[in-house]
Amino acid sequence: LFPEAFPGILGLSLTGKALAQGLWNLQTIPLREHGLGRHRNVDDTPAGGGAGMVIRPDVLDAALRQAGPGLPVIYMSPRGKPLTQARARALAQGPGVTLICGRFEGIDQRVLDAHGVEEVSIGDYVLTGGEIAAQVLIDATVRLIPRVLGNHDSLAEESFSIGNRGLLEAPQFTKPALWDGREIPPVLLSGNHAAIAAWRAGEAERLTKERRPDLWRAYAETHVDPAKDRQRSGASDQSRNHREQTEEPKR
């Protein structure tokens, strides 16, 4: 309903530069172009009663047909699956996406079913419309396209990234070394790359455990410390041998 909202913030900085260079592209389709009657109405009252208005299926169907087939269709909705870094990565590697920005009380379910629309949420809260949510998804996706970011290596240690093992990112620091009575952790100034990597890994684990128990549980289930695992295995072997030596033979 508000094509003038785009590209918005996406037209600035690195995403804007990449847009101008053609590394990604954006086309908006105004729903009003497919509205009905003299006022180009796109909505009507909800069946069964209730507050607000609902976007009509015939109007949205016409807009989706204009967008054309061949791309996955996503409706930004608070009842959708959460947007994740993995989902953004998959979209960045795909052919593109058609995004529906809802308004009012929602969209007629029939058109969502007819077009096999996937619902995606950016969080457990409600916005006045889907434009901001769509820009969040676009930004999270476009920045993963090769050459969009000046230094693609910076993606490796980000929160939720594969390089960071799905953990939150460790704290970052820069000059001055002393600010407001607060120092940069000495290990970061030591020049010892192994120690720095170990510190960052430890901080990533600490922050994830404190702030995102859900991510920590997933990490803990898939990452086992080999040294600790060997210790546990050795202890189990000793315990089993002790039991075998002390148990009376069965008769």
Side-chain angles (χ1 to χ4, degrees):
L1 280 173
F2 300 102
E4 62 272 19
F6 295 89
I9 192 68
L10 301 170
L12 305 177
S13 189
L14 295 176
T15 53
K17 182 179 178 180
L19 180 62
Q21 292 175 339
L23 296 181
W24 68 286
N25 62 78
L26 176 70
Q27 176 190 5
T28 56
I29 299 177
L31 287 185
R32 292 289 180 193
E33 290 184 355
H34 302 280
L36 306 175
R38 185 164 60 93
H39 298 291
R40 295 289 184 180
N41 293 330
V42 300
D43 58 344
D44 213 320
T45 55
M53 305 290 279
V54 177
I55 293 179
R56 295 174 56 110
D58 45 1
V59 172
L60 183 55
D61 175 71
L64 288 172
R65 291 183 183 279
Q66 180 182 342
L71 297 179
V73 184
I74 290 178
Y75 168 39
M76 307 308 300
S77 164
R79 69 183 188 185
K81 298 178 180 177
L83 175 63
T84 64
Q85 188 73 4
R87 188 73 177 95
R89 189 180 303 112
L91 289 172
Q93 296 171 351
V97 64
T98 296
L99 298 175
I100 302 173
C101 302
R103 278 276 161 174
F104 316 125
E105 287 301 308
I107 293 173
D108 190 300
Q109 184 65 41
R110 292 171 295 178
V111 70
L112 300 178
D113 294 339
H115 286 270
V117 176
E118 176 188 0
E119 298 186 44
V120 172
S121 169
I122 63 168
D124 295 340
Y125 45 85
V126 179
L127 304 174
T128 54
E131 293 81 13
I132 294 176
Q135 291 188 8
V136 168
L137 183 147
I138 293 171
D139 186 273
T141 299
V142 165
R143 65 189 300 278
L144 299 176
I145 296 174
R147 294 169 36 215
V148 169
L149 296 186
N151 181 9
H152 196 71
D153 292 339
S154 64
L155 298 173
E157 300 302 324
E158 289 182 327
S159 297
F160 317 114
S161 68
I162 296 175
N164 205 36
R165 302 170 294 167
L167 300 175
L168 299 182
E169 186 176 2
Q172 299 286 357
F173 300 87
T174 187
K175 298 177 181 178
L178 178 65
W179 174 80
D180 196 28
R182 303 167 188 266
E183 293 182 335
I184 292 177
V187 65
L188 297 180
L189 305 177
S190 67
N192 186 330
H193 297 296
I196 291 172
W199 181 87
R200 286 175 171 163
E203 285 296 291
E205 291 182 357
R206 178 184 65 81
L207 288 174
T208 305
K209 191 173 184 179
E210 290 177 358
R211 300 181 183 182
R212 291 292 302 273
D214 56 328
L215 293 178
W216 177 254
R217 285 192 297 270
Y219 169 80
E221 290 175 357
T222 56
H223 292 76
V224 178
D225 187 326
K228 292 181 179 179
D229 190 49
R230 284 195 298 270
Q231 292 174 3
R232 286 194 297 267
S233 177
S236 297
D237 291 341
Q238 293 176 7
S239 177
R240 184 171 58 253
N241 291 336
H242 177 74
R243 288 196 306 270
E244 291 175 351
Q245 294 171 5
T246 58
E247 286 180 352
E248 294 183 3
K250 296 181 179 179
R251 299 177 179 176

